[in-house]
Amino acid sequence: MDPCCFDTTPTRVGWDGSALDPLRPVAEARCRARVWVRERWQLPELVDSVELAVGELCANAVRHGGGLAGLELVLGRGGRRFAPPSLRVVVVDREPGRVPRLPLSSDPLGESGRGLWLVEAVSRRWGWHRAGCGEKSVWCTFAV
């Protein structure tokens, strides 16, 4: 392989929750994700949707998940035949027993209850799993 053609762009970046501003973790997580997706990966078509999803998932982690433990962005290059390029957002919180669910209905004038609906609307898929050690991961993917 020609060394000149080797792409050294990182395909995974993450932040521990303690590395984020403790007074504004959601705003800082959104900002970091926006800068990384726009400037490092140069995916301007995904910036707004990824920032929205990061904001909603991080806000849920802070409000319902016992605190934001971490944020990770993973860029899948689609190098395999059946794996299309994608970007995955993973938010880790400290409440593995609290299962994220889409609410059956929400108050149209309310200030909460629509976050996961927004994530579902802007992403290709979303889900969650227990991450062990008293944590759970909530994730969503975007087609690149």
Side-chain angles (χ1 to χ4, degrees), residues 79-132:
R80 294 188 206 126
R81 184 174 180 183
F82 298 108
S86 65
L87 189 148
R88 184 177 178 109
V89 172
V90 182
V91 172
V92 180
D93 69 39
R94 294 183 172 94
E95 189 63 54
R98 187 144 187 183
V99 177
R101 289 192 172 94
L102 289 172
L104 297 175
S105 64
S106 61
D107 178 2
L109 300 176
E111 293 182 6
S112 63
R114 292 183 293 278
L116 287 178
W117 283 109
L118 289 171
V119 171
E120 182 170 82
V122 299
S123 67
R124 185 170 59 188
R125 335 178 348 199
W126 76 275
W128 71 279
H129 62 273
R130 286 185 178 85

Side-chain angles (χ1 to χ4, degrees), residues 9-34:
T9 305
T11 57
R12 180 179 292 243
V13 63
W15 298 279
D16 184 282
S18 64
L20 301 175
D21 180 343
L23 300 177
R24 298 173 22 126
V26 176
E28 188 169 340
R30 288 179 58 184
C31 181
R32 288 181 183 219
R34 182 175 192 81

Side-chain angles (χ1 to χ4, degrees), residues 7-14 36 40-41 72-78 86-88:
D7 183 3
T8 60
T9 305
T11 57
R12 180 179 292 243
V13 63
W36 196 270
R40 298 292 178 113
W41 289 333
E72 184 175 32
L73 306 175
V74 182
L75 182 62
R77 300 283 188 178
S86 65
L87 189 148
R88 184 177 178 109

Side-chain angles (χ1 to χ4, degrees), residues 22-60:
L23 300 177
R24 298 173 22 126
V26 176
E28 188 169 340
R30 288 179 58 184
C31 181
R32 288 181 183 219
R34 182 175 192 81
V35 168
W36 196 270
V37 171
R38 182 182 63 224
E39 295 177 12
R40 298 292 178 113
W41 289 333
Q42 298 182 4
L43 297 170
E45 69 280 4
L46 291 180
V47 170
D48 293 335
S49 295
V50 169
E51 182 184 8
L52 175 66
V54 165
E56 293 300 333
L57 294 180
C58 288
N60 283 350

